[in-house]
């Protein structure tokens, strides 16, 4: 793998393929010097073929796991809705599989990684964020260890971050259908490595749920994807 590139990774199941298509088109338009690595979970064969044809520059990981139940049977708290929200085994697996993606990229010698959600829209050049990632071990929304949102984070691959994310991956995979297990895993890994980690705060412009006009990255987290300006922006890239 080209170690000079920023690798951008996320996971999507069949229901989120149009969001994935929007993300990839927005990335191609606004930061084409990066490379995307996408895990597609239980995506229909025809849709997979279309994605590969339309995005030949993207590294796709086909993850067919028919043992995952797609029935909505778990509940997570959603602050944006003010109530609980149902999710399935497949949804939880897809969300948490980003740590598999990071492990894959590390094994294949990627140097700089940005993990994002599938409903992300890239809107501006990412050079400043890339430079921040180059200068720090981890770039995330909270440097104090009180993690609340891990939807977007960057890492510079080295011995320390390899240990950190291997620890996170192990904790997450041991309790895969616990929606908040990634937060707990980050806290544990941070407590074990905080003395040596060089961390930087992720500026709000790179995960903006308020959908501010000049932000670099819009997040469709929660009800943000239902807002008119998000819908219009998404339509530009479909």
């Amino acid at each position: 793998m080209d170690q000079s590139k920023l690798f951008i990774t996320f996971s999507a199941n069949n229901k989120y393929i149009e969001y994935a298509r929007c993300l990839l088109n927005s990335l191609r338009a606004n930061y084409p010097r990066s490379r995307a690595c996408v895990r597609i979970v239980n995506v229909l064969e025809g849709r997979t073929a279309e994605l590969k044809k339309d995005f030949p520059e993207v590294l796709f990981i086909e993850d067919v796991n028919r043992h995952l139940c797609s029935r909505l049977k778990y509940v997570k708290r959603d602050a944006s809705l003010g109530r609980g929200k149902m999710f399935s085994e497949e949804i939880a697996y897809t969300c948490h599989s980003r740590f598999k993606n990071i492990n894959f990229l590390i094994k294949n010698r990627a140097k700089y990684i940005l993990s994002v959600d599938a409903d992300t829209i890239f809107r501006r050049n990412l050079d400043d964020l890339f430079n921040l990632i180059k200068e720090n071990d981890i770039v995330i929304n909270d440097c104090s260890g009180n993690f609340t949102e891990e939807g977007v984070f960057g890492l510079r691959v080295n011995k320390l971050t390899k240990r950190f994310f291997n620890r996170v991956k192990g904790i997450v995979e041991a309790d895969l259908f616990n929606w908040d297990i990634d937060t707990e895993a980050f806290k544990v890994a941070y407590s074990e490595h905080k003395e040596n980690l060089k961390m930087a705060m992720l500026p709000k412009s790179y995960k903006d749920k308020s959908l501010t006009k000049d932000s670099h990255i819009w997040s469709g987290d929660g009800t943000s994807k239902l807002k008119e300006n998000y819908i219009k922006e998404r339509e530009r890239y479909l």
Side-chain angles (χ1 to χ4, degrees), residues 26-211:
S26 70
L27 185 62
R28 180 187 278 169
N30 294 296
Y31 204 59
R33 70 188 66 182
S34 63
R35 188 174 185 197
C37 173
V38 184
R39 180 177 298 269
I40 46 177
V41 179
N42 291 344
V43 172
L44 297 175
E45 186 175 339
R47 301 186 87 180
T48 297
E50 288 176 1
L51 282 172
K52 288 184 173 181
K53 179 182 177 182
D54 293 343
F55 301 99
E57 74 277 18
V58 173
L59 176 59
F60 288 103
I61 303 171
E62 296 180 55
D63 190 339
V64 180
N65 190 335
R66 302 304 183 195
H67 297 293
L68 294 171
C69 180
S70 60
R71 182 168 58 87
L72 302 176
K73 60 180 182 179
Y74 300 98
V75 181
K76 65 170 180 171
R77 182 180 177 275
D78 192 318
S80 66
L81 295 174
R83 56 176 172 79
K85 184 178 180 179
M86 301 292 289
F87 67 95
S88 66
E89 289 181 358
E90 184 181 275
I91 291 171
Y93 174 87
T94 303
C95 176
H96 295 326
S97 69
R98 56 194 160 140
F99 300 109
K100 289 179 177 287
N101 302 349
I102 290 170
N103 186 59
F104 171 85
L105 287 169
I106 289 174
K107 285 184 175 180
N108 284 276
R109 302 179 66 82
K111 181 67 175 176
Y112 308 105
I113 301 170
L114 178 68
S115 177
V116 300
D117 293 323
D119 51 16
T120 292
I121 302 178
F122 293 95
R123 305 181 68 250
R124 296 177 64 187
N125 180 286
L126 301 180
D127 279 346
D128 287 345
L129 176 58
F130 191 9
N131 288 333
L132 193 63
I133 292 170
K134 287 178 180 179
E135 295 166 0
N136 294 276
D137 296 320
I138 298 175
V139 178
I140 198 166
N141 75 313
D142 190 319
C143 296
S144 68
N146 186 29
F147 304 107
T148 56
E149 294 186 19
E150 303 79 40
V152 178
F153 60 86
L155 66 138
R156 174 180 61 184
V157 178
N158 53 41
K159 290 182 179 179
L160 181 58
T161 53
K162 284 180 182 179
R163 291 197 299 270
F164 184 99
F165 281 97
N166 188 57
R167 182 71 162 124
V168 169
K169 179 175 176 287
I171 294 170
V172 167
E173 291 183 348
D175 196 5
L176 196 58
F177 305 134
N178 175 351
W179 188 262
D180 296 318
I181 190 60
D182 51 350
T183 298
E184 297 307 313
F186 264 90
K187 289 179 179 178
V188 171
Y190 175 79
S191 70
E192 295 174 350
H193 298 287
K194 62 183 178 181
E195 300 301 327
N196 299 311
L197 278 173
K198 184 179 181 183
M199 300 179 68
M201 284 284 292
L202 179 75
K204 181 183 176 183
S205 182
Y206 296 100
K207 181 178 169 56
D208 186 3
K209 294 188 288 186
S210 301
L211 312 181

Side-chain angles (χ1 to χ4, degrees), residues 12-31:
N13 64 3
N14 199 59
K15 291 183 178 179
Y16 262 70
I17 286 303
E18 292 309 304
Y19 287 99
R21 184 175 291 276
C22 167
L23 186 160
L24 292 171
N25 279 325
S26 70
L27 185 62
R28 180 187 278 169
N30 294 296
Y31 204 59

